[in-house]
Amino acid sequence: MNKKGIVIRGLRKRYGEGETAVEALRGVDMQVAPGEVVGLVGPSGSGKSTLLKCLGAVIDPTAGYMELDGEVIFDDGWKVRDLRALRRDRIGFVFQAPYLIPFLDIVDNVALPRMLAGVPNAEARETARELLQALDMTHRIGAMPAQLSGGEQQRVAIARGLVNHPPVILADEPTAPLDTARAMAVMRILQDMARRFHTAVIVVTHDEKIIPTFRRIYHIRDGVTHEEAGEGRPLDAS
């Protein structure tokens, strides 16, 4: 896999016009390499959610530059015609809540984005089973979401985010509802999957438990990012 991560330069987002305009992002610069997991932290209202929505092609930036896997996707305007396909095929999402479909078993929950991308159902399910096996969920194959623990549901959500082998995963507070042991397990999984699939992972978090695990952290304040080195504490440390 020859993925190239994500590059962001001078990203800006303004809401409204004239005197009532709000500059939510004032010139964000970020770079995340394939296989790297970085943290994005900042107080409420700092621009984290706006940045994540811009990166995920959910809202339109006002200006700036974004490059995904070596392709320019935004340069003072979208350079990709089908944003829905971009979100579906090239960006994985992991949220605070797993948002699993309750009437589908975990294989079909994971396989669904791949099916929607036009992959034959049998092939999509096989990929889903392989990911669930990699996440130590083989013993739960066939289970429904309601039969899983919170940590197991989050593993299924991570597998779903990876199923189309995207070059980037955006994880929004993925450990917020979990205790320390389960939060560390989720971070270990994200780091293992990032290395295995050469995926760039951005984790938005307020969770003080996991911040020491990042080697690099972007702080966002008043719509501007500031990079600093993290502790990179081993996840098996007590």
Side-chain angles (χ1 to χ4, degrees):
M1 298 181 186
N2 190 25
K3 295 178 181 176
K4 299 180 181 178
I6 188 165
V7 177
I8 303 147
R9 293 199 293 265
L11 198 69
R12 306 180 71 90
K13 176 61 180 178
R14 181 180 63 250
Y15 293 105
E17 298 293 339
E19 294 182 0
T20 61
V22 175
E23 295 283 347
L25 301 178
R26 300 172 181 268
V28 167
D29 297 311
M30 292 181 70
Q31 185 163 347
V32 187
E36 185 180 21
V37 180
V38 303
L40 177 62
V41 302
S44 297
S46 60
K48 294 192 307 299
S49 294
T50 295
L51 177 54
L52 209 65
K53 290 174 182 176
C54 288
L55 299 182
V58 175
I59 62 174
D60 299 333
T62 303
Y65 176 94
M66 291 193 293
E67 182 180 306
L68 178 62
D69 201 21
E71 177 187 356
V72 178
I73 62 169
F74 188 91
D75 190 0
D76 291 338
W78 291 107
K79 303 303 179 184
V80 177
R81 289 185 177 182
D82 191 342
L83 293 181
R84 184 172 64 175
L86 175 69
R87 290 190 295 269
R88 181 191 65 212
D89 300 339
R90 304 184 64 195
I91 302 170
F93 296 91
V94 179
F95 302 102
Q96 179 174 337
Y99 295 118
L100 303 180
I101 299 173
F103 53 83
L104 297 180
D105 68 22
I106 65 171
V107 171
D108 279 353
N109 262 283
V110 173
L112 185 59
R114 198 151 179 79
M115 293 176 182
L116 293 174
V119 175
N121 290 0
E123 183 180 339
R125 289 190 176 104
E126 181 60 28
T127 302
R129 290 188 187 95
E130 290 171 358
L131 280 168
L132 289 166
Q133 182 178 10
L135 291 167
D136 295 324
M137 290 290 290
T138 305
H139 65 295
R140 289 304 221 170
I141 297 294
M144 304 300 284
Q147 298 173 299
L148 305 181
S149 69
E152 288 173 333
Q153 290 185 18
Q154 198 64 303
R155 289 188 186 203
V156 175
I158 291 169
R160 182 184 57 199
L162 284 162
V163 74
N164 280 327
H165 305 302
V168 64
I169 282 185
L170 306 177
D172 188 7
E173 299 283 0
T175 64
L178 304 176
D179 62 25
T180 298
R182 288 181 175 85
M184 291 304 176
V186 166
M187 289 305 300
R188 189 177 300 112
I189 288 166
L190 285 173
Q191 291 193 3
D192 288 346
M193 294 297 101
R195 286 191 293 266
R196 183 177 301 192
F197 295 104
H198 305 280
T199 302
V201 181
I202 300 172
V203 179
V204 175
T205 188
H206 285 100
D207 191 346
E208 296 290 338
K209 300 188 296 293
I210 68 170
I211 288 175
T213 69
F214 298 110
R215 292 185 181 276
R216 287 200 305 132
I217 297 171
Y218 285 94
H219 288 268
I220 184 166
R221 293 187 290 272
D222 299 323
V224 179
T225 46
H226 307 270
E227 181 186 353
E228 68 176 39
E231 294 182 39
R233 187 179 299 172
L235 281 161
D236 56 356
S238 59

